[in-house]
Structure formats: structure tokens, C-alpha cells
Amino acid sequence: MVQDDPPPPSAVVGDVTPYAVPVVVEDYDPAWPGLFQQEHDAIRGALGATAMTVEHVGSTSVPGLPAKPVIDVLLLVPDSADERTYVPALEEAGYTLRIREPAWLEHRVLYRRLEDGSPHNVNVHVFSPGRADAEIARMRMFRDWLRAHPDDRELYAATKRELATRRWRYVQDYADAKTEVVEAILARAGAPATP
């Protein structure tokens, strides 16, 4: 690693390679809710009652908002730390465990990617009620606020488009660069502080 290179993101399961292509932010696609519904059905089919909640979150869940073409899913399970209760079934359904963050709310991310044969890109964010209530509320409030407030939706869209013109070593660096505007919007929405 070159001395000036930042380290790869922590908590990643598997190999980490620098992000070799620009971040692509696309205009809103009315197909995104249908793609989420496919993921909803696949997750429910794999987990049954273990999937307490399966919701569409992130930019693709906000009509009119440009986004990276990645369907973000909020999955609530009884205990996200107990991977044996949900990870094998999701892996059988075609998802790959990619992020494990025991020190941050026992957050997990499983994903599917086009380059691995998936019909579209998906991130499944796994949390548990009781342990991650504030973060769950923030995700929902951000989505719902942007759906109802065109000025903040446009502010966020402009920020995303500007940041997408830059080159990022890791896609997480792009996500981190949005933090200031995201926190300002969440404050207007009355969201709880970052956990």
C-alpha cells in the first residue's frame, strides 16, 4: 500500500479492492420499487417470520431522487449478532455477507451484485429492534422527509451529483462525503442523534 493511501474500510468481510470506476448517480427510475418488491419477496421467502421488517430505504426509495442504482433494504431480525439465524438462509437465496460491525449496533450488510450474476445491485442492512432503534428511526425519517420535502430532496440530489463527479478510492468515501448534508436534513426532520 502506498503510504498516502487510506486504509480500506473496516468491518468488510472478504477482499477489499479500491473502487476503480466513478460513482454513477442515475435519474430516478420508476422500476426501482418493483426491484425492491423482488428483494422483499426473496428475503421473506428465505427467512419467514425471522424477517420482522423488510423495507425499502435509501435514495432508490424516494420518488424523483437520483441515486446510485443500488436497492437498499432495511431488514430487522430478532438478533442481528446471531448470524446463524439468518445469514445461511440469505446466502442460499443468493446474498453474500459483506459487512460485519459488532461495535456499531451489530450492523450487518449482505449484498447481491450485477458482476456476480444478480439482475440488479442490492444492499441489505440488517439491524435488531431494541439495539438499533435510533438508527432505524433515522433511516426511515430521512426517506420519509425527502419524499415530502422537495427542497431538501433537490439539495440532496445536487450534492450527490456533485460528489459523483469526483474520483473516490472506496465507495464508502463517497458515502462519507455526504454526511454533512445528510445530518443537516436529518436535523430538520427531527431525527435522533447519530448512535
Side-chain angles (χ1 to χ4, degrees), residues 57 104-105 132-145 179 182-184 186-187 189-195:
V57 294
W104 188 68
L105 309 173
D133 290 345
E135 183 60 22
I136 295 163
R138 287 167 56 85
M139 292 175 82
R140 289 171 170 160
M141 290 177 83
F142 191 68
R143 173 197 63 201
D144 296 346
W145 183 267
T179 299
V182 168
E183 291 301 326
L186 281 167
T194 303

Side-chain angles (χ1 to χ4, degrees), residues 18-23 163-171 173-174 177:
Y19 200 61
V21 296
V23 171
L163 292 173
T165 66
R166 303 182 197 175
R167 287 286 185 164
W168 303 96
R169 183 152 176 83
Y170 299 101
V171 71
D173 296 333
Y174 161 81

Side-chain angles (χ1 to χ4, degrees), residues 88-111:
L90 290 176
E91 288 177 337
E92 183 67 26
Y95 298 92
T96 300
L97 179 63
R98 188 62 177 152
I99 295 175
R100 178 184 290 126
E101 295 182 294
W104 188 68
L105 309 173
E106 290 290 357
H107 176 234
R108 304 296 190 270
V109 175
L110 292 95
Y111 75 11

Side-chain angles (χ1 to χ4, degrees), residues 2-52:
V2 176
Q3 186 174 1
D4 293 336
D5 287 348
S10 62
V12 174
V13 177
D15 294 332
V16 178
T17 56
Y19 200 61
V21 296
V23 171
V24 174
V25 174
E26 297 181 357
D27 288 339
Y28 178 78
D29 186 339
W32 287 339
L35 298 180
F36 162 74
Q37 190 61 49
Q38 293 174 27
E39 300 308 317
H40 174 278
D41 296 347
I43 292 166
R44 286 270 181 215
L47 297 182
T50 300
M52 301 166 67

Side-chain angles (χ1 to χ4, degrees), residues 42-111:
I43 292 166
R44 286 270 181 215
L47 297 182
T50 300
M52 301 166 67
T53 298
V54 182
E55 289 183 45
H56 194 184
V57 294
S59 294
T60 62
S61 70
V62 179
L65 182 63
K68 294 193 318 296
V70 179
I71 305 301
D72 283 297
V73 178
L74 171 62
L75 169 61
L76 303 186
V77 298
D79 183 1
S80 57
D82 190 359
E83 293 179 10
R84 65 183 174 80
T85 64
Y86 65 94
V87 170
L90 290 176
E91 288 177 337
E92 183 67 26
Y95 298 92
T96 300
L97 179 63
R98 188 62 177 152
I99 295 175
R100 178 184 290 126
E101 295 182 294
W104 188 68
L105 309 173
E106 290 290 357
H107 176 234
R108 304 296 190 270
V109 175
L110 292 95
Y111 75 11

